[in-house]
Amino acid sequence: MKRPVSKWLLCLLMFCTSIVCLTGCWDRQEIESRALILGMAIDEAPPSEQNSDAHSTHLSTPPSVKNKLIRLTAQIAVPGRVPLGPGTGGTGGGGAGDSASMPVWVVQVVGHTLDDALNNLQQEIADPKTLIHLRIIIVSEAIARQGLDDINDYLRRNPEVRRSTWLLVSDVEAAKFMNVAPPLERVPTLYLLGMIEKSTEMGKFPGDDIGQYWSDQSKWGQNAFLPHISIRGENNILIRGLAYFRDNRMIGATKPIEIGVYMAIKGMDPAGYSALLQVPPLGIVMTSTMARESKINVKIRDGKPAATLKIHLEARLVEKEAEHVKVSSPESLRLVEERLSSIVKESAENLLTRLQKDKSDIVGFGEYVRAYKSSFWRNNIHEKSDWEDLFSRMPIEVVVDSSVRRIGLKND
Amino acid sequence: MNRSTPTGQITPLQTQAIVISSIVGIGVLTFPTYMAQAADSGGPLVTLLGIVFSCISLIPLSLVGRRFPKENIVVYSGKLIGKWPTLLFCFTLILMFLLVTGGIVRETAEAISLIVLPRTPPEITAIMLLSLTALSARRNIIKFSYIHTFYLPFILVPGLIILIGSLRNADYLNLLPFTGIHPKNVISGALTIMGLFQVSFILAMVIPHMSKPQKALNCSFWSIACAGALYLFIVTASTAVFGAEEMKEMVYPTLELARSSSISVSGLQRVDGIFIIVWVLTVFTTLISTYYISLYLIGRIFDLQDHRMLATFLIPFVFIVSLIPQDFFQLYDSMNLISIVGLCLTFGYPLLLYIISFIQKGVRGNETTG
């Protein structure tokens, strides 16, 4: 007699609660009424904007952040204008200045922290902002050199941010990237994203999204790095090297070819860089690297770590400048190999010396020491800076050999 | 016996399904962090240790259950240690598993509101989850075993696929040295794993209804091994992908793992949505087990015909329990505390029963021979 009643009661309860819950009333989100932030650029606020703080999160500025004001430039997708397929609409190239047809809306605000700035941003736009489609964050070098602690903290905490977002350092004003409109892609952020991702696929850049940056940053035996980018001309974006960090602060940057050297040190495939070589009897020769391999060995010598780095490169000859000299024998290829090896060795040593001087172990020699010489690590490394000090004084022997086996379709 | 508790119908395979899907639960989301805190890169080893401990801790329960194959734990415990101690133990167990149920409900609601439904009040998620659990836990133990057997493939298969998809970012160096640099809290780490595995106490409820109770020990071993393998895979994968130091900073490392996973063969770029669904299922199967343990024990103590009414009327109690923790840290601290206290019960109580049954048998054996 009792059971049916309780069953009915339960059914009624379930019914009522499911009406409320299953429809998703609370979390219903219309895609058109959300401000999808695709990209952000973070700069130091210029003096002229020091007083434009919108005060949406505080009345009086706490003294510790009084002089620290960042300017956030966000690229917000305009619903309905983001082209879905290739070449719909007839805007064509060079529509950068034509704001009416831009699929994105660029908003600029200032704030003392990232979230403060985002709140100020929200104060200015109608739709609720969301970071679920955030793909690119560009910080200016000045901000990167001051430290990215607060920015990373916010991004780590926010469940909307993906670990596959890219964090980039720009050597010019970061906000400029939000307005760059290359003709190939109408959404600037997506062009930049495509550029970074394709260069990763081509072996021009290591896969180093923000998740990887955080992981490297957390490791005691490794320092983190980020892509370093710049603008050339009006609308061209250049990957200009690796911005390397220590203690969440940028302390230096490499040249573009040194990205290739770094990837060779790490043995990252596919290989995508070419080397221009002066091989004495053959003249100027270009080789293109096809595959990289490397082996890092660490030893403890006299209570100090020492490393041996062996790099092997598979390259092929792609261009020779002088017509009269022939590449017609294995010996001449050996000459190219020798030259390539010595150049790579020189550049690797050069890069490592600079990294050691700056105490930034972006290769992660410390991780090898931690992994293979754990008792040494246990006794000597008590915080991350201990390894940075040891790294700066560590002898690193570089051995490079390379093979050039193919010469293309021309037979001399 | 009464009609709702038919004996001898649960197969060994179903038993294993029950234990596996009970063990794989809420802890999956967070435990790699605890492992990294216990022994950085030695996390997988600590997990393995915890699994071995859990395996051992189930032996007394299986053995004593095997000794009384046709009787439930309340009955044989009454015979062994007397009525009042049995009641004391059982009520503590009931209370503990109700608290665990409430805690799990709260943890799940918090995670869901953080990750997928930010504007839905966590309380509503909690009520929904609880109602669903109560509705499923109303069934008798045979249907209970069907529920577990049905859901198990939906937990294991997508879970494994997601994990494999995450391995492309793995770095072998992160797993070295296997022993960890500073294995400071190995024992407490292993205890955490044991705490997560203690829902395997559900075995005590299942044994009297097994078709072959003699296989209880075998079943418990294989289910712990299987669930353990999944846990081990998760902690190894997340250590390899993120590195131990990074994991220490994460609240939900396994979720981050799923978010960085992509199964390019199927063209799925983001699989965290699938992961959340799988994870809700694992939580659900764990919840009905913890709730069922409480219901079953109450039912046996008061010799109820069935526990349908009970399942409904305990909802408010569990819901209130789930509201008690005031913040994130309180929630996890109290859950850890309960799980440590629970360990003493779920391991100590069967051990006590087994020792006493062993002594009694010895005494009786001497009497008959002498």
Side-chain angles (χ1 to χ4, degrees):
Chain A
M1 193 61 203
K2 258 183 181 174
R3 203 180 307 137
V5 176
S6 80
K7 195 179 255 176
W8 275 109
L9 272 176
L10 192 72
C11 282
L12 196 67
L13 183 79
M14 292 287 287
F15 187 70
C16 295
T17 41
S18 59
I19 286 177
V20 182
C21 303
L22 293 181
T23 51
C25 276
W26 273 296
D27 283 287
R28 182 212 57 194
Q29 287 174 326
E30 295 296 335
I31 193 137
E32 289 90 350
S33 61
R34 285 205 285 185
L36 298 173
I37 299 181
L38 295 177
M40 298 196 297
I42 300 165
D43 288 293
E44 280 181 306
S48 59
E49 290 175 31
Q50 290 291 347
N51 294 321
S52 54
D53 185 359
H55 291 280
S56 65
T57 63
H58 52 90
L59 278 173
S60 63
T61 313
S64 63
V65 290
K66 195 136 205 162
N67 298 318
K68 183 174 169 288
L69 202 60
I70 60 171
R71 188 185 62 189
L72 177 79
T73 312
Q75 208 172 67
I76 299 168
V78 179
R81 288 240 193 92
V82 176
L84 295 172
T88 49
T91 37
D98 189 2
S99 66
S101 65
M102 281 282 277
V104 289
W105 175 29
V106 178
V107 183
Q108 216 165 50
V109 288
V110 296
H112 293 284
T113 67
L114 186 51
D115 193 44
D116 182 29
L118 280 169
N119 273 293
N120 291 342
L121 176 96
Q122 187 65 77
Q123 213 74 8
E124 288 183 21
I125 58 175
D127 300 324
K129 64 169 166 52
T130 171
L131 300 180
I132 50 174
H133 286 285
L134 178 67
R135 307 304 299 273
I136 296 268
I137 303 157
I138 302 167
V139 294
S140 71
E141 207 173 306
I143 294 276
R145 283 187 189 275
Q146 278 170 28
L148 297 176
D149 288 321
D150 57 333
I151 295 172
N152 279 327
D153 183 85
Y154 176 74
L155 297 172
R156 270 168 182 276
R157 247 176 241 283
N158 192 323
E160 290 175 352
V161 177
R162 312 180 196 182
R163 283 180 81 86
S164 58
T165 308
W166 284 85
L167 184 60
L168 311 165
V169 179
S170 110
D171 67 341
V172 292
E173 191 190 353
K176 281 186 182 163
F177 287 89
M178 296 290 111
N179 285 314
V180 166
L184 289 176
E185 174 82 62
R186 269 177 294 167
V187 183
T189 304
L190 294 186
Y191 175 76
L192 193 52
L193 179 74
M195 181 168 176
I196 298 280
E197 282 182 346
K198 278 168 199 156
S199 63
T200 315
E201 280 164 29
M202 287 189 294
K204 292 254 183 213
F205 202 83
D208 181 52
D209 51 22
I210 200 166
Q212 189 62 46
Y213 171 81
W214 288 338
S215 287
D216 291 346
Q217 170 67 34
S218 298
K219 285 173 191 166
W220 282 18
Q222 181 156 11
N223 292 86
F225 65 92
L226 287 173
H228 197 212
I229 55 172
S230 183
I231 294 184
R232 284 289 177 275
E234 284 263 318
N235 286 326
N236 295 345
I237 296 159
L238 170 84
I239 300 183
R240 58 163 303 185
L242 305 172
Y244 51 87
F245 283 69
R246 189 180 74 223
D247 199 18
N248 248 337
R249 276 177 180 74
M250 175 177 166
I251 42 168
T254 71
K255 295 193 176 59
I257 183 65
E258 281 171 329
I259 304 174
V261 175
Y262 172 78
M263 291 178 81
I265 293 174
K266 293 285 274 182
M268 287 173 173
D269 273 334
Y273 277 88
S274 301
L276 184 140
L277 309 169
Q278 167 86 48
V279 187
L282 302 173
I284 298 289
V285 166
M286 286 287 292
T287 57
S288 163
T289 319
M290 306 308 294
R292 314 178 181 111
E293 217 177 288
S294 84
K295 196 164 166 38
I296 295 175
N297 267 319
V298 287
K299 275 194 283 295
I300 306 298
R301 214 182 286 144
D302 308 328
K304 294 251 157 56
T308 320
L309 167 66
K310 283 188 183 134
I311 302 175
H312 177 81
L313 295 175
E314 283 285 334
R316 65 181 175 192
L317 195 146
V318 286
E319 190 179 22
K320 168 169 70 66
E321 202 205 12
E323 181 60 37
H324 55 278
V325 256
K326 307 277 185 212
V327 180
S328 53
S329 65
E331 286 71 39
S332 45
L333 286 183
R334 295 296 91 80
L335 286 175
V336 178
E337 286 174 0
E338 268 168 35
R339 187 68 194 135
L340 177 64
S341 302
S342 68
I343 283 276
V344 172
K345 179 175 153 68
E346 200 180 301
S347 354
E349 282 171 346
N350 205 337
L351 176 64
L352 289 173
T353 315
R354 213 157 74 239
L355 291 174
Q356 285 184 313
K357 204 184 96 225
D358 288 332
K359 295 187 181 179
S360 176
D361 179 11
I362 58 173
V363 178
F365 286 101
E367 284 296 297
Y368 284 86
V369 178
R370 189 187 58 77
Y372 295 108
K373 305 288 170 204
S374 48
S375 58
F376 172 82
W377 187 268
R378 197 172 291 129
N379 296 330
N380 291 282
I381 310 296
H382 305 291
E383 54 185 351
K384 192 167 175 170
S385 59
D386 290 346
W387 171 252
E388 285 159 357
D389 289 339
L390 274 180
F391 168 71
S392 66
R393 285 177 271 124
M394 180 172 81
I396 305 171
E397 187 195 344
V398 184
V399 181
V400 184
D401 81 308
S402 55
S403 322
V404 178
R405 304 176 205 271
R406 293 173 186 90
I407 54 166
L409 290 180
K410 188 164 172 260
N411 199 7
D412 58 357
Chain B
M1 296 296 279
N2 54 53
R3 64 179 171 83
S4 68
T5 52
T7 48
Q9 285 187 19
I10 298 178
T11 64
L13 198 69
Q14 283 170 332
T15 313
Q16 286 169 13
I18 293 175
V19 179
I20 295 170
S21 66
S22 304
I23 293 174
V24 181
I26 183 95
V28 163
L29 207 54
T30 46
F31 87 98
T33 301
Y34 298 125
M35 296 304 108
Q37 281 161 355
D40 41 72
S41 63
L45 209 61
V46 176
T47 312
L48 190 65
L49 193 69
I51 295 165
V52 172
F53 281 176
S54 309
C55 227
I56 296 169
S57 74
L58 259 191
I59 291 176
L61 184 62
S62 314
L63 287 181
V64 76
R66 207 161 72 171
R67 184 151 292 176
F68 302 94
K70 293 292 164 206
E71 287 165 356
N72 64 58
I73 188 163
V74 180
V75 174
Y76 63 69
S77 161
K79 283 184 189 167
L80 287 171
I81 57 172
K83 193 179 167 196
W84 292 110
T86 302
L87 281 183
L88 179 71
F89 273 117
C90 285
F91 273 114
T92 334
L93 272 171
I94 291 164
L95 186 70
M96 177 213 130
F97 275 105
L98 285 179
L99 291 179
V100 168
T101 311
I104 294 178
V105 166
R106 174 67 180 273
E107 275 187 43
T108 316
E110 292 287 337
I112 286 182
S113 89
L114 179 63
I115 303 161
V116 273
L117 305 172
R119 272 180 291 178
T120 306
E123 293 79 14
I124 297 294
T125 316
I127 289 180
M128 288 304 289
L129 202 59
L130 255 178
S131 317
L132 202 62
T133 308
L135 206 62
S136 315
R138 286 159 65 87
R139 308 296 167 207
N140 69 32
I141 195 138
I142 304 297
K143 287 175 186 160
F144 172 78
S145 76
Y146 290 162
I147 294 175
H148 277 293
T149 320
F150 175 77
Y151 279 118
L152 186 65
F154 292 101
I155 294 171
L156 291 186
V157 176
L160 281 178
I161 292 175
I162 292 170
L163 281 176
I164 291 169
S166 70
L167 285 180
R168 73 200 162 94
N169 298 323
D171 184 359
Y172 174 66
L173 272 188
N174 285 335
L175 292 172
L176 293 175
F178 294 121
T179 50
I181 292 294
H182 296 290
K184 283 174 290 205
N185 305 311
V186 174
I187 297 301
S188 83
L191 284 179
T192 307
I193 293 289
M194 283 180 79
L196 295 175
F197 277 45
Q198 64 180 315
V199 191
S200 56
F201 190 73
I202 190 74
L203 197 63
M205 278 78 246
V206 179
I207 292 175
H209 304 282
M210 282 177 71
S211 56
K212 295 170 191 151
Q214 303 314 320
K215 288 208 167 178
L217 188 63
N218 202 352
C219 281
S220 72
F221 174 74
W222 280 108
S223 7
I224 297 269
C226 185
L230 185 70
Y231 272 79
L232 202 57
F233 191 11
I234 292 174
V235 70
T236 312
S238 44
T239 312
V241 171
F242 299 125
E245 293 302 321
E246 174 73 0
M247 259 158 56
K248 288 180 190 170
E249 298 205 9
M250 293 178 173
V251 175
Y252 300 131
T254 313
L255 175 76
E256 301 279 8
L257 195 65
R259 288 168 93 173
S260 64
S261 163
S262 81
I263 305 158
S264 33
V265 183
S266 61
L268 286 176
Q269 281 253 313
R270 295 186 71 178
V271 288
D272 49 337
I274 302 173
F275 173 78
I276 297 286
I277 298 170
V278 172
W279 174 74
V280 169
L281 281 183
T282 68
V283 171
F284 168 67
T285 52
T286 308
L287 267 181
I288 64 172
S289 288
T290 55
Y291 201 47
Y292 204 89
I293 293 174
S294 309
L295 295 176
Y296 185 95
L297 287 178
I298 298 176
R300 292 301 151 265
I301 289 172
F302 295 107
D303 210 12
L304 298 179
Q305 274 271 301
D306 63 17
H307 53 245
R308 289 165 184 247
M309 286 296 273
L310 207 56
T312 315
F313 287 123
L314 281 179
I315 293 180
F317 176 73
V318 178
F319 179 63
I320 289 168
V321 167
S322 81
L323 295 178
I324 295 173
Q326 292 300 304
D327 56 46
F328 176 86
F329 297 106
Q330 257 188 27
L331 174 62
Y332 280 92
D333 290 349
S334 51
M335 281 301 276
N336 288 342
L337 187 70
I338 294 175
S339 99
I340 297 296
V341 174
L343 264 183
C344 308
L345 272 174
T346 52
F347 174 56
Y349 180 40
L351 186 67
L352 180 74
L353 291 181
Y354 179 65
I355 292 172
I356 290 179
S357 85
F358 192 77
I359 295 169
Q360 279 195 353
K361 192 190 169 193
V363 171
R364 226 181 292 139
N366 288 343
E367 280 170 1
T368 47
T369 49

